[in-house]
Structures are given as C-alpha cells and as structure tokens.
C-alpha cells in the first residue's frame, strides 16, 4: 500500500537530488552501485548476460514503490563503499554489512538480511576444522570486507590473501593455492552448492553475526523513503516472495 506521506517524502527526495545535481538539471535517475559478483545477491546470469539477484530485485521493487528511477552501475566491493562515502553514488546495495565504522561515514537503511561469516575449505580437507586451525595457513578473502577485517584482527598468524573479487579466492581454494576462505555465509553456501561443484564445504560455526543494509551518503534524503518502501514490501509479502526466489524459503521469523 502506498500512502500520501511516503509519496510526499519521495517528491522531496527527488527534488533534493535534482538540486544536488546542479547545473540547472531537472531530475536525474538515482545512481545505484552494486557488486560485480556476490551470489545470490548480485551476479551476472551467464546464460543471459544480465545482472540479477536478490539485491537487484529488491532495489528495483523499492524504487518502484517509492517512485524514483534508478541507474545501476557495477564495481568491486571496496569501490562501492568509497563511492557512496564520497557521494559519487546515491545508493549502494551489495550485501553490505552494517558496521559501526562504516556508519561513521555512510548512512544505512534498516537491516534487510541476517548474515554472518563462515569458513570454507576443500571437500577433502581434514586438518582445518574451525578457525582454531588457521595459524600458518593461507586464508583467502575479499578486499575491504568484514571478513578481511576479521581475519586481520583475529588471525594475525594466518597468511591472509585478499582478492578484489571473491570468486578468485574460491578458484584458488579449489586449485589448492589457498587452504581456506572466510566469507559471508549466504554467499559461501550458495557458491558451494552450485558453481563449487561439490569441491568446497563449510566448517566450524558462523563466526560473526552480521546484518546487511542499503548504503547512502551521509544525510541522504533517500533514507526515509527507502525505509518506508522496505516496510511496505515486507508488509505486503513482496519481500517474502523475493526471498523465496533467491533463497528457497521466506524470510525466517525473528
Ligand atoms: N558483507 C560483506 C561486507 O560488507 C561483503 C559484501 C560483498 O562482498 N558484497 O564487507
């Protein structure tokens, strides 16, 4: 359901963006930055060549509901955080974990997905059973992410190798050039069950509970209308339908 209040907020937001753009421009689409490869949130469908995923469907549904046009651009994860901080992008949606450090320089929407970090190893691995076994091991992850931060803080005795894209880390793990990969639970599980071809599996507990949020430059007028739209999509089951499409079941109850 749309209410007059949220439509008004969107008009104000659109106006503010038009003003922000300057140069007498009347209105421009909202620039949404997303990741190049983070299954199943945003990735290229190899059959169609199209960018698809839960985040892509979600931001389209939000924009539709809130009444703004979007233009999607893709780049590596660390560039998204930096580009939202600098105001180069109006929105970042990329399975981005809400952290205190990031919240100092960017605004987040309400959380929309519960995640966490988990270790992946090769299916035939026998020695690494949990994070207690990482000393001296080559552990892959992705540049600028919460898992890179976790590894550098908690496992200074591991050999941390950070890649711009996580798929490179998974490939190196499968090829034996890494001993483990630390990454986001939904991404590791989805990859292991599909492209992983049965060659990798998870070990140990979920290491750090995390929540994903949509990112905005500090003080963005889009935060409120996006949160309103997110609430509406949850209330009318659109959100559950998207969740089911990409994760096989509706959002778990609190
Ligand atoms: N959730 C992780 C982070 O925010 C990684 C996200 C991603 O790779 N797209 O750091």
């Amino acid at each position: 359901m749309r209410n007059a209040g949220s439509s008004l907020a969107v008009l104000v937001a659109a106006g503010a963006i038009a003003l922000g753009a300057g140069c007498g421009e009347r209105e421009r689409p909202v620039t949404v930055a997303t990741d190049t490869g983070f299954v199943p949130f945003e990735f290229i469908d190899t059959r169609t060549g199209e960018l698809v995923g839960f985040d892509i469907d979600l931001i389209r549904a939000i924009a539709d509901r809130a009444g703004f046009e979007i233009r999607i651009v893709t780049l590596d994860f660390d560039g998204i955080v930096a580009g939202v901080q600098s105001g180069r992008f109006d929105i970042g949606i990329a399975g981005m974990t809400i952290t205190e450090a990031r919240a100092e320089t960017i605004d987040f929407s309400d959380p929309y997905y519960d995640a966490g970090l988990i270790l992946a190893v090769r299916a035939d691995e026998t020695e690494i059973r949990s994070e207690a076994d990482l000393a001296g091991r080559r552990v892959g992850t992705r540049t600028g992410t919460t898992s890179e931060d976790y590894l550098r803080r908690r496992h200074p005795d591991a050999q941390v190798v950070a890649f711009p894209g996580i798929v490179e880390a998974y490939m190196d793990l499968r090829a034996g050039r890494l001993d483990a990969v630390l990454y986001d639970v939904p991404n590791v599980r989805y990859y292991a069950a599909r492209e992983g071809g049965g060659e990798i599996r998870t070990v140990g507990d979920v290491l750090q509970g995390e929540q994903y949020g949509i990112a905005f430059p500090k003080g963005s007028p889009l935060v409120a209308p996006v949160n309103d739209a997110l609430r509406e999509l949850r209330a009318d089951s659109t959100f559950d339908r998207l969740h089911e499409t990409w994760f096989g079941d509706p959002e778990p109850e609190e």
Side-chain angles (χ1 to χ4, degrees), residues 2 6-7 10-11 61-68 225-226 229:
R2 275 188 95 133
S6 76
S7 304
V10 170
L11 284 179
I62 286 173
D64 205 41
R65 189 63 60 105
F68 57 80
V226 164

Side-chain angles (χ1 to χ4, degrees), residues 9 12 22-23 32 48 53 83 101 105-106 118 137 140 143 161 178 182 199 205-206 237:
V12 172
C23 314
V32 175
T48 62
T105 53
I106 56 186
I118 199 156
R137 300 300 189 147
T143 312
V161 190
L178 292 172
L182 181 72
E199 289 175 33
D205 300 326
V206 172
S237 82

Side-chain angles (χ1 to χ4, degrees), residues 39-252:
V39 291
F41 294 86
E42 43 267 331
F43 61 102
I44 302 292
D45 179 330
T46 47
R47 279 168 313 149
T48 62
E50 268 177 58
L51 181 70
V52 295
F54 179 72
D55 283 346
I56 306 304
D57 285 351
L58 182 62
I59 199 63
R60 287 204 173 115
I62 286 173
D64 205 41
R65 189 63 60 105
F68 57 80
E69 297 288 320
I70 57 171
R71 187 176 67 91
I72 299 181
V73 298
T74 59
L75 65 165
D76 281 330
F77 184 75
D78 58 341
I80 301 171
V81 179
V84 171
Q85 275 168 350
S86 72
R88 186 172 150 221
F89 308 124
D90 304 307
I91 289 180
I93 185 164
M96 194 187 293
T97 304
I98 302 172
T99 68
E100 268 175 42
R102 287 176 184 158
E104 282 172 16
T105 53
I106 56 186
D107 280 349
F108 281 103
S109 70
D110 294 333
Y112 69 89
Y113 190 90
D114 289 334
L117 306 181
I118 199 156
L119 275 176
V121 294
R122 274 182 304 283
D124 61 2
E125 171 66 51
T126 53
E127 288 171 5
I128 303 176
R129 284 180 294 257
S130 76
E131 67 172 329
D133 305 318
L134 294 182
R137 300 300 189 147
R138 286 175 62 82
V139 187
T141 189
R142 191 174 190 192
T143 312
T145 61
T146 48
S147 24
E148 183 186 17
D149 185 55
Y150 185 95
L151 285 171
R152 298 206 188 279
R153 268 187 303 115
R154 309 278 287 263
H155 294 283
D157 49 2
Q159 251 181 282
V160 179
V161 190
F163 297 81
I166 196 62
V167 176
E168 299 156 77
Y170 291 141
M171 298 299 250
D172 271 20
L173 175 63
R174 291 166 70 180
R177 287 187 290 269
L178 292 172
D179 301 309
V181 166
L182 181 72
Y183 216 50
D184 296 50
V185 178
N187 179 262
V188 173
R189 293 225 166 106
Y190 194 94
Y191 181 88
R194 290 175 176 75
E195 297 96 312
E199 289 175 33
I200 70 171
R201 63 184 170 88
T202 59
V203 283
D205 300 326
V206 172
L207 296 183
Q208 168 167 287
E210 300 193 341
Q211 288 188 306
Y212 296 161
I214 301 166
F216 309 84
K218 270 272 174 222
S220 167
L222 288 171
V223 181
V226 164
N227 277 334
D228 287 345
L230 197 54
R231 251 192 313 276
E232 288 179 24
L233 296 173
R234 277 205 158 106
D236 76 4
S237 82
T238 308
F239 189 91
D240 267 345
R241 219 178 44 243
L242 296 184
H243 200 282
E244 212 161 340
T245 301
W246 293 105
F247 303 101
D249 49 24
E251 187 180 32

